[in-house]
Amino acid sequence: MKPILEVNNVVKQYGNYTALNSVSLQVPKGSIYGLLGPNGAGKTSLIRIINQITMPDSGEILLDGEKLNPNHIGHIGYMPEERGLYKSMKVGEQALYLAQLKGLSKAEAKKQLEYWFDKLEIKGWWNKKIQELSKGMAQKIQFVVTVLHQPKLLIFDEPFSGFDPVNANLIKDEILELRDKGATIIFSTHRMESVEELCDDIALIHQSNKLIEGKLHDVKKQYRSNTFEVGIAPYNFQGLLADINTKYKTQQADFKTLDDELKLEVSLPQGGTSRDLLNYLMQHGNITHFVEKIPSVNDIFIQTVSQK
Amino acid sequence: MSLSLIIKREFNAKVRNKSFIVMTFLSPLLIVAMGTLVAYLANVNKDEVSQIAIHDVTGVFKDDFKDTKNIKYTDLSAMPLDIAKKEVSESESYEGLIYVPQADSITALATKVEYLSNDSPNLDFVSNIEDVVNDKITKHNLKQLGFDYDKIEKAKTKAVIHLSKFSGEETFKEGSIIKIIIGGLFGYLIMMFVIIYGNMVMRSVIEEKTNRIIEIIISSVKPFKLMMGKIIGTSFAGILQFLIWTILGLGLFFILSNVFGVQVGAAAQPDAAAASAEAMNSAQLYLSEVWKLPLFTIFLSFIIYFIGGFFLYSSLYAAIGAAVDSETDSQQFLLPIIMPLMLGVYVGFFTVISDPHGTVATVFSMIPLTSPIVMMMRIPFGVPLWEIIVSMVLLFGTFFGVVWFAAKIYRIGILMYGKKPTYKEIFKWLKY
């Protein structure tokens, strides 16, 4: 499928500092796309360029195949990491104002706002000022303001920070629902569990360069280490331990089982298969646990970033 | 579309603010209250009577110092000088001692009279003594020369010059005082408005920056639009406040003009009933002089100069607000803004009053940074239309230049967090 957002060789420099060094990305339509990277990697610079807050020095950005232009403002919703609303303005008035700035008519904005207030059960807040709300409540308003104009591309910078678990879950469900309705979501985050849970695609930016991009599944495959977690009740405990170390690279493993088995993390040698390993183990005892160790996004992140 | 939205929001945010409502309706009351208080205090001071001792061994002057409402003279010539001095300096009731020593002739006394006191006397009082001495000696000299003093007094006339313009309009001398007051008031008002509303713009920029809503807004509109919307919306709030004050002021003047007379005159000088007829007369003159001023021109120019001056300065205020993270950081950048405003007020007060159409006043009423203030002070004296137009064109022309410059700083500044920039860094932003 054609990507909704294409970033082609975007370069951004601030004085002598290069914030983005010829970065290219393809965000598939209808996906949840994780934009990962350590602090200062260039994520915010890229997001600001996509939002037309700043202009790239070179390179181009296509939204739905069209070169990015001011008409696209209404198609993008952006929730920055540093949340902010006018503190002394009433919730309803403020949301209407921000939606109208995005190009909605007042009537349409009102209709949408009522829908969302209903949905998130925050109807009574309309005439409250932001300063009267708790931080979590203000975050909810912030979310509503971001999605109010029904953008086809949503950009969330650290969307779950500041939410309690109940509300974080609520927002997560809303995001999934928006995706199912056809919106594309870009996630910028450090929280790898949420990436693991939500993202279909990821890209990793480090020191102004894009290092990894692709379907989460493919990236994981690429980073698989052919390591298995093994739990075995051996016939001869010491004998097996001595023998297996001559054939495979092993490591103490830690997982829960019912008995006091031998728990190991076994790495296959070059060209080795899981079938060989299983055959070998079966000769030495009762296997209680056998799982391929899949690299977590966290592992991939740390591995890639520290390699550089 | 989005510009008008921003203007509306900024206007509402300012006007609905409690301090705006309080400022608008309470400050005229405060001014009236202050005026009344000052008038009252001045009267309280008048009721004090100070006692002055006279030690006149010659006996020439002692009868010429006549008691007034505030000064009572006591003749101590009978005492020896030492005792009189001691008496006066130690006693609470005496303010000071006028000492007239022996001299060869009355004429020689002109430079011999002394005044002794614990505190320095006020200037009015000293010149009062000098007048008495001068009068006496002059009379004496005239007599010596064979002139009849009474005849000379009779021969003196009191000239009154009628002032009128070629246009036929009559003025009177005190009219220029009215002009100075009105001009000074409006010039000062411009400065106050620029500072107060400029600060509002700056605070609103800092607010958006510190609560980070700025990123959401500029992902919807261009920073330039936001800045202009903010400036225009705030200026509307300023104009509204001025209109309210104008209506209140005009109302007050109408009331004064109609009901004027005994009540107001008496309130100002409670125990000078005799003076009330004359007071009413001159008060009426003052009032009619106010009505003779080109009030509509003043009103219209105030609005135009306020808009021009405010736009010019507030774009700088906006740039400063964008460059800093908090109001406390803004002080160092505010000084260069306040300076030309102060300069305008001082130049206005010192040059316009002495010579409203002199070179200095004319030049400063053309320079865009000071013209709104200085020109407002000149206008009551009558300024040729072309001068006003030139100064307005210069003002608005400069505004466009400054706005371009301020917008560049603003655009970069609003996304910079964390540290207070230096002038050098801000200069670098201009090149991004």
Side-chain angles (χ1 to χ4, degrees):
Chain A
M1 195 165 34
K2 240 180 70 185
I4 187 165
L5 183 79
E6 266 183 87
V7 175
N8 295 326
N9 304 313
V10 162
V11 176
K12 180 75 188 175
Q13 287 186 310
Y14 295 104
N16 291 326
Y17 176 73
T18 305
L20 293 169
N21 183 13
S22 191
V23 170
S24 301
L25 296 175
Q26 310 242 323
V27 181
K29 201 174 227 158
S31 69
I32 297 184
Y33 189 96
L35 189 60
L36 318 180
N39 289 326
K43 286 174 296 175
T44 305
S45 296
L46 181 62
I47 289 174
R48 281 181 179 169
I49 289 170
I50 296 171
N51 274 302
Q52 303 180 56
I53 292 172
T54 49
M55 299 292 282
D57 296 335
S58 67
E60 59 165 9
I61 292 178
L62 305 177
L63 185 72
D64 252 350
E66 252 182 79
K67 211 167 166 356
L68 205 62
N69 63 57
N71 294 332
H72 289 137
I73 280 170
H75 297 310
I76 301 177
Y78 172 40
M79 184 158 91
E81 179 180 4
E82 300 281 356
R83 311 298 154 68
L85 293 165
Y86 290 111
K87 288 203 169 57
S88 51
M89 213 172 162
K90 284 177 183 160
V91 169
E93 212 179 331
Q94 175 150 226
L96 286 181
Y97 170 65
L98 293 171
Q100 279 175 280
L101 281 186
K102 281 281 185 191
L104 251 64
S105 73
K106 195 168 182 181
E108 177 65 19
K110 206 163 179 180
K111 210 179 94 195
Q112 283 297 323
L113 198 55
E114 271 160 5
Y115 165 79
W116 277 105
F117 272 40
D118 224 18
K119 193 156 195 228
L120 297 179
E121 294 167 351
I122 52 177
K123 263 185 165 168
W125 297 2
W126 191 282
N127 276 322
K128 281 200 173 141
K129 287 182 180 172
I130 294 290
Q131 59 199 10
E132 298 167 30
L133 302 180
S134 73
K135 198 179 167 201
M137 289 157 107
Q139 298 263 43
K140 265 190 183 177
I141 305 292
Q142 193 99 45
F143 176 81
V144 171
V145 163
T146 311
V147 301
L148 201 59
H149 55 292
Q150 296 172 295
K152 49 187 177 189
L153 179 65
L154 279 157
I155 303 172
F156 293 105
D157 204 345
E158 294 294 353
F160 301 118
S161 72
F163 277 116
D164 60 62
V166 177
N167 280 323
N169 223 33
L170 186 83
I171 295 301
K172 192 187 81 192
D173 290 345
E174 293 302 337
I175 289 175
L176 287 172
E177 199 182 320
L178 284 167
R179 195 260 318 259
D180 295 342
K181 281 182 182 165
T184 307
I185 288 125
I186 296 178
F187 247 156
S188 163
T189 185
H190 299 120
R191 305 232 312 217
M192 296 308 158
E193 357 38 301
S194 55
V195 174
E196 204 87 58
E197 195 182 343
L198 292 170
C199 292
D200 310 310
D201 294 74
I202 61 164
L204 195 142
I205 296 180
H206 182 47
Q207 288 172 351
S208 319
N209 290 290
K210 182 191 77 181
L211 298 182
I212 304 171
E213 186 188 13
K215 294 249 164 266
L216 184 58
H217 186 77
D218 297 341
V219 171
K220 288 199 166 186
K221 244 186 199 165
Q222 197 187 321
Y223 277 78
R224 91 196 291 179
S225 55
N226 281 330
T227 303
F228 293 83
E229 278 181 346
V230 170
I232 183 167
Y235 306 133
N236 177 349
F237 199 99
Q238 291 305 326
L240 173 62
L241 202 57
D243 193 53
I244 196 167
N245 276 326
T246 62
K247 291 192 163 64
Y248 298 99
K249 236 172 89 187
T250 67
Q251 219 182 319
Q252 274 288 328
D254 188 28
F255 49 85
K256 287 217 162 68
T257 50
L258 293 173
D259 299 314
D260 266 346
E261 296 101 335
L262 176 63
K263 295 170 192 169
L264 289 173
E265 225 171 67
V266 185
S267 303
L268 296 185
Q270 199 74 32
T273 65
S274 56
R275 195 191 150 95
D276 297 339
L277 178 60
L278 265 175
N279 276 332
Y280 169 80
L281 289 171
M282 277 196 301
Q283 294 164 15
H284 291 87
N286 292 322
I287 299 167
T288 56
H289 184 98
F290 191 85
V291 172
E292 180 173 4
K293 213 175 166 224
I294 300 166
S296 67
V297 181
N298 201 30
D299 295 337
I300 297 171
F301 183 94
I302 291 170
Q303 196 187 330
T304 320
V305 167
S306 51
Q307 254 173 23
K308 268 276 159 178
Chain B
M1 169 63 191
S2 50
L3 184 65
S4 65
L5 274 172
I6 297 168
I7 292 173
K8 215 166 89 190
R9 198 205 80 84
E10 292 295 331
F11 177 77
N12 282 335
K14 302 294 171 300
V15 172
R16 286 187 202 162
N17 198 317
K18 274 195 202 87
S19 67
F20 177 88
I21 298 164
V22 171
M23 267 278 286
T24 305
F25 292 100
L26 215 61
S27 53
L29 274 179
L30 271 176
I31 289 170
V32 171
M34 287 275 280
T36 317
L37 186 71
V38 168
Y40 171 74
L41 287 179
N43 275 329
V44 165
N45 207 12
K46 269 186 198 156
D47 290 343
E48 275 174 25
V49 176
S50 37
Q51 225 181 61
I52 307 291
I54 301 173
H55 193 275
D56 184 1
V57 279
T58 61
V60 174
F61 296 110
K62 64 179 180 193
D63 295 328
D64 290 287
F65 288 103
K66 302 251 161 43
D67 288 357
T68 66
K69 206 171 83 216
N70 300 108
I71 304 172
K72 212 167 159 280
Y73 294 100
T74 313
D75 186 8
L76 298 182
S77 308
M79 293 184 193
L81 180 62
D82 293 349
I83 296 172
K85 270 189 186 170
K86 203 166 167 235
E87 167 92 22
V88 172
S89 77
E90 280 170 12
S91 136
E92 288 287 310
S93 55
Y94 287 110
E95 199 87 352
L97 173 75
I98 299 169
Y99 168 58
V100 186
Q102 282 290 2
D104 303 339
S105 64
I106 289 182
T107 320
L109 279 174
T111 54
K112 290 257 165 71
V113 176
E114 285 176 42
Y115 178 73
L116 301 146
S117 65
N118 291 325
D119 316 317
S120 341
N122 77 49
L123 285 177
D124 268 359
F125 175 69
V126 175
S127 61
N128 221 357
I129 301 177
E130 283 168 351
D131 284 348
V132 170
V133 174
N134 279 336
D135 232 39
K136 185 80 183 183
I137 297 174
T138 309
K139 265 185 202 169
H140 172 80
N141 287 346
L142 286 171
K143 217 172 186 175
Q144 293 290 305
L145 293 169
F147 294 105
D148 185 341
Y149 182 75
D150 292 336
K151 279 186 183 158
I152 291 173
E153 270 305 288
K154 262 186 211 151
K156 276 186 183 165
T157 70
K158 195 168 190 316
V160 176
I161 307 295
H162 282 273
L163 307 174
S164 63
K165 292 186 183 170
F166 285 118
S167 56
E169 212 180 306
E170 273 213 38
T171 56
F172 78 126
K173 210 164 50 186
E174 284 78 4
S176 40
I177 295 176
I178 291 287
K179 286 173 183 167
I180 287 166
I181 292 174
I182 297 283
L185 180 77
F186 279 92
Y188 194 73
L189 216 53
I190 290 247
M191 183 195 78
M192 291 307 292
F193 266 59
V194 167
I195 290 180
I196 291 172
Y197 284 91
N199 256 308
M200 275 188 196
V201 168
M202 186 180 80
R203 233 175 293 137
S204 142
V205 172
I206 293 176
E207 188 204 347
E208 280 175 359
K209 195 180 165 184
T210 50
N211 70 21
R212 313 285 172 129
I213 196 173
I214 191 74
E215 275 197 56
I216 296 176
I217 294 187
I218 60 172
S219 69
S220 309
V221 297
K222 290 256 164 279
F224 183 73
K225 242 188 201 174
L226 178 62
M227 186 177 103
M228 286 315 294
K230 203 175 275 302
I231 290 174
I232 295 170
T234 309
S235 76
F236 283 168
I239 291 170
L240 177 72
Q241 188 168 50
F242 176 67
L243 286 180
I244 293 172
W245 283 355
T246 307
I247 291 165
L248 289 179
L250 282 180
L252 187 72
F253 261 124
F254 268 120
I255 293 168
L256 278 183
S257 308
N258 290 327
V259 195
F260 201 85
V262 196
Q263 300 97 310
V264 181
Q269 298 163 298
D271 48 0
S276 85
E278 210 199 335
M280 185 174 87
N281 221 0
S282 71
Q284 276 174 342
L285 272 174
Y286 278 113
L287 273 177
S288 69
E289 198 62 22
V290 170
W291 288 116
K292 269 189 230 156
L293 287 175
L295 286 181
F296 184 70
T297 313
I298 291 177
F299 174 81
L300 198 67
S301 344
F302 181 86
I303 292 199
I304 296 173
Y305 276 113
F306 167 64
I307 292 175
F310 173 74
F311 277 21
L312 182 65
Y313 278 100
S314 65
S315 54
L316 292 173
Y317 271 105
I320 292 172
V324 300
D325 274 348
S326 72
E327 235 183 303
T328 38
D329 286 348
S330 66
Q331 298 307 326
Q332 116 188 57
F333 299 110
L334 281 179
L335 191 67
I337 291 194
I338 306 279
M339 292 272 274
L341 285 171
M342 299 301 278
L343 187 70
V345 168
Y346 285 123
V347 164
F349 275 130
F350 288 113
T351 66
V352 173
I353 286 168
S354 60
D355 188 3
H357 304 303
T359 318
V360 179
T362 310
V363 167
F364 275 92
S365 64
M366 292 291 162
I367 297 172
L369 286 171
T370 53
S371 65
I373 295 167
V374 179
M375 191 58 101
M376 274 322 292
M377 293 188 175
R378 284 185 64 204
I379 282 177
F381 293 95
V383 178
L385 189 64
W386 70 266
E387 278 191 24
I388 297 182
I389 290 172
V390 169
S391 117
M392 281 178 178
V393 167
L394 281 175
L395 180 62
F396 279 85
T398 312
F399 156 67
F400 285 114
V402 169
V403 133
W404 172 85
F405 159 88
K408 285 206 141 190
I409 295 175
Y410 181 81
R411 195 172 53 100
I412 306 288
I414 44 176
L415 293 172
M416 293 275 180
Y417 295 110
K419 74 180 186 131
K420 192 166 117 182
T422 59
Y423 278 109
K424 207 172 130 197
E425 277 168 290
I426 291 180
F427 185 70
K428 238 164 59 188
W429 294 354
L430 290 177
K431 290 184 281 188
Y432 276 165

